Amino acid sequence: MHRFTLPNGLRVLLAPSRRHPRVAVAVHYGVGFRSEPPGREGFAHLFEHLMFQGSEQLTGGEFYDRIHRLGGSANGTTHQDYTDYYQAVPASALDGALFAEADRMRAPLFTEEALAEQLEGVALEIHGTTVERPYGGFPWPLLPAVLYRSYANAHDGYGDAERLRAATVADCQAFFAEHYAPGNAVLTLAGGFDAAEARALVERHFGDIPGRPVPARPDLRERAPEADRWAYGTEPGVPATAVALGYRLPDPARDLAGYLAHTVLARLLRATGARGGGGPVETSCGFFGPLDALAPETLVVTGLLPPDTAPELFVERVDAGLAHWAEPGAPGHGEAVRTAVRDLALDHVRRHDDLQTRARALGRLELLFGRPGLLAELPDLLADVGPADVAGAARALRGTARAVLVLTPGPERTRPAPYEAPAAPARSARATGEPVVPAWAETLTPAGTRVVCYRDERTPLAELRLKAPLGPGGWRAPGRIRRLAYEAQLRAGAAWRATGHFGTVQVTTDDQWLEVSGHAPAERAGDWLRTVVGTVLTAGTGGAGGPNGPTQAAALAAPAAIALQRTADAALRLRLLPAAGGAAALPGPAGAVVVVTGPGDPDATAALVTRTLAGWSAADAVTPEGAAPGPADAYGEDTVLTLHRPGAAEAHVTLCAPAAMSTATEAADYLATAALGGWFGSRLAVDRTSGLTVITGRDTAAAGHRAYLRAWYEGPHRPHTVRELHERVRRLAREPFTAAEADATRVFCAGQVLSVFDTQETLADMLCQTAAYGHDATWLMRLPRALREAPLADVSRAAVRMFAERPLTALAVQTDAADTADTSAVPPDPAATDTDEADTDEAARGLPGGRAA
């Protein structure tokens, strides 16, 4: 191989081989999608397309025409850290091939027509790869945004087709001037040519291209994650859940031996599968193959799960596979490693026997690592990898945090939120009043608790929230669960005060959820969590007073209106429950959410939370059954549940129906709920002649979501009110909203959402609430813009879907009269009629289009 550099900085590799009648020409430029600035996601890929659209001497389609006439081929690809262009032609056509490459390195043509055409082509490519294909975007480009946190490493290399349409010809010219200098490129020739003649041709065609400054490589350094990071999506029309694990690989520039040991380990995992059966396992060192990118790079493990197999089981199987290979002296390991090394070496040799593949590999290794000779050295370097090296790699992976991407079958396609650079939204926020997306981290504990941590440096304090579903045991006996919560409050408060630290611990319940909230100095967050685990989550059902002991009625009493609403919801949950029930108990970790906001690194905080919650297990919840959702037919138009409440001054009516919640429709659903009856300017709030006070909202009842309407009025219950409310809400829901209605609602709701960012405390409350309802970690920050941009037609359709298409069950009526024309009376839980009705400020929390806390 011949290696030299032209005066303008162009590096040249010549790999002549007389046995080949053709020659491959490859040009690698040191720019990939990790070189893109924020706001230009996907531009490197778009530019690769544009480089085939003409140059100073070869306009239009002449570049391809010259090659195709010779029976040759040409293409280009965009990777993390480079873009390559390559062609293969008969050896006699080498002069013309070099001329064409030099012409577009010197003076490519960018026109409005070509840009528009390639924007359409790129949009189709993005759609075909990420939308039309089953499991589109899995594992790339979705997985990097889960494993990495910096913009360069995490952002989507395809970008958004609509955002790319803002590109101009001037943008293209600037991108070329910055990144496509000769000094930022490597020219490689492989095949049938004479080295001396080829060098003369290279100097003639490329030597007079002016040199330009070479941009610095982007800073890709990033600390490895300290805790597992999980992300979820759904995919329609597929039979199986897909799981991808992402691990950080050693830097091949600094630790090539360690990198190759991981390469052999990946082959072993693929060959033997993850331990314990359950389907094949695929592995890859790098998203596009080994030694294809600078560090950090990713080892990817993927699998399709058998039916009814939890993703956690796949992760456990991979862990078992790593544990198996972490023992170098185990029987059969030596032979297995030798076989894997042999197969990898043979695959390498066979793959690079192809002329174009060889030229591209030489140029890539020169550009990235300055070692094109690695192509020939790799078989021998692999042969040096032994069982002890593989065991070290396996132990390293077992001890490191990873990313887990899960796509499950579902009725609609959802994806984890794409990575957004923090700089651009921050500038936008200052200009438009939008909230800034903070640095954040998310993980799922082995016991099933979602942990979300946000950086908020407004105070030196950490705001901590825990929200756990109570399940059937709590729903059957809400009075008892409130007493248990109160007793837990006493224990937690006393334990925290005993530490001598500043801060609070508050335990509350609304019968649907158990909530623990409070604050502490950021450096004491671990102490706060340990206090909660020891006194609340693992305290069982005993403690001061016991479930049948004193109830502290004065401390637990709630306003009458809230008490009536909670009694109504308790009746609904009883109706939705299966026949079997469990004892009232504090909840277990499955389905719970923990949110922490405060200064410090979110990844480190998430790791701390995960470690601290390790002592909280499902065994702490003595309820024998899970929170199974109630049947859909538990709601019914002809069902009226009647509850008698002696002494009540008001009658309360609640109408509700099941309503699916999805991030894809959330903004429209939010606005529809608010415009119908969620604020003082809504349709149902305008008519005061009936004497009714009416609000609409959404929340969770049992384990399912619902849309509801609440009405109350003075005096005894009037049976015809239910029918009137049915007719009124359906009529209004079927009438499309006007633009004026929607715009007024947008302004009000967006303003309400923005209010939660006023303090760290309110922000933590709402982040916990949105996380508990399944929205992604940055949804609350994106909600104000989504409310402004939701199409009017979608808002009207959402009102019909939630409030007019399905039966609105008259859930409960509270009245002071024992005689009523309504039927199907359901007696309330005796515990629910005690004086300890509530210990939470439910009515004061939640947002108009959102849900009660």
Side-chain angles (χ1 to χ4, degrees), residues 735-803:
E735 294 178 0
F737 294 110
T738 66
E741 282 182 295
D743 289 344
T745 304
R746 293 179 204 274
V747 171
F748 177 82
C749 290
Q752 286 284 296
V753 174
L754 291 176
S755 70
V756 307
F757 295 90
D758 290 351
T759 69
Q760 186 178 345
E761 178 182 3
T762 56
L763 178 59
D765 289 339
M766 292 310 300
L767 288 170
C768 185
Q769 182 165 312
T770 57
Y773 282 97
H775 293 305
D776 65 72
T778 61
W779 167 244
L780 187 62
M781 291 74 178
R782 305 197 317 273
L783 180 56
R785 172 176 289 185
L787 293 173
R788 291 197 302 270
E789 297 177 351
L792 176 60
D794 289 355
V795 178
S796 295
R797 282 194 291 268
V800 173
R801 184 180 70 250
M802 292 187 293
F803 294 96

Side-chain angles (χ1 to χ4, degrees), residues 490-585:
L490 295 179
R491 291 192 299 271
W496 181 249
R497 286 190 297 273
T499 66
H501 298 321
F502 174 79
T504 61
V505 182
Q506 183 177 10
V507 185
T508 60
T509 179
D510 63 353
D511 305 340
Q512 179 73 34
W513 304 88
L514 180 82
E515 297 188 59
V516 187
S517 60
H519 63 275
E523 66 274 13
R524 299 296 184 185
D527 297 332
W528 191 96
L529 288 166
R530 282 185 284 274
T531 298
V532 170
V533 171
T535 61
V536 179
L537 303 181
T538 59
T541 58
N548 298 311
T551 62
Q552 301 292 332
L556 295 173
I562 297 177
L564 292 174
Q565 292 173 10
R566 293 180 63 167
T567 303
D569 290 344
L572 174 66
R573 286 191 286 266
L574 285 173
R575 180 175 180 81
L576 296 179
L577 284 175

Side-chain angles (χ1 to χ4, degrees), residues 677-754:
W679 70 296
F680 60 82
S682 63
R683 287 182 173 183
L684 289 169
V686 171
D687 182 9
R688 300 294 184 185
T689 60
S690 63
L692 293 173
T693 300
V694 181
I695 62 168
T696 53
R698 294 171 297 144
D699 66 0
T700 296
H705 302 301
R706 66 169 176 171
Y708 67 81
L709 175 148
R710 296 193 194 276
W712 59 94
Y713 49 91
E714 293 184 357
H717 168 56
R718 303 189 294 265
H720 60 83
T721 301
V722 173
R723 182 174 61 256
E724 291 174 355
L725 283 171
H726 269 296
E727 295 171 354
R728 186 178 174 193
V729 71
R730 284 180 171 170
R731 175 176 56 81
L732 292 177
R734 292 187 184 278
E735 294 178 0
F737 294 110
T738 66
E741 282 182 295
D743 289 344
T745 304
R746 293 179 204 274
V747 171
F748 177 82
C749 290
Q752 286 284 296
V753 174
L754 291 176

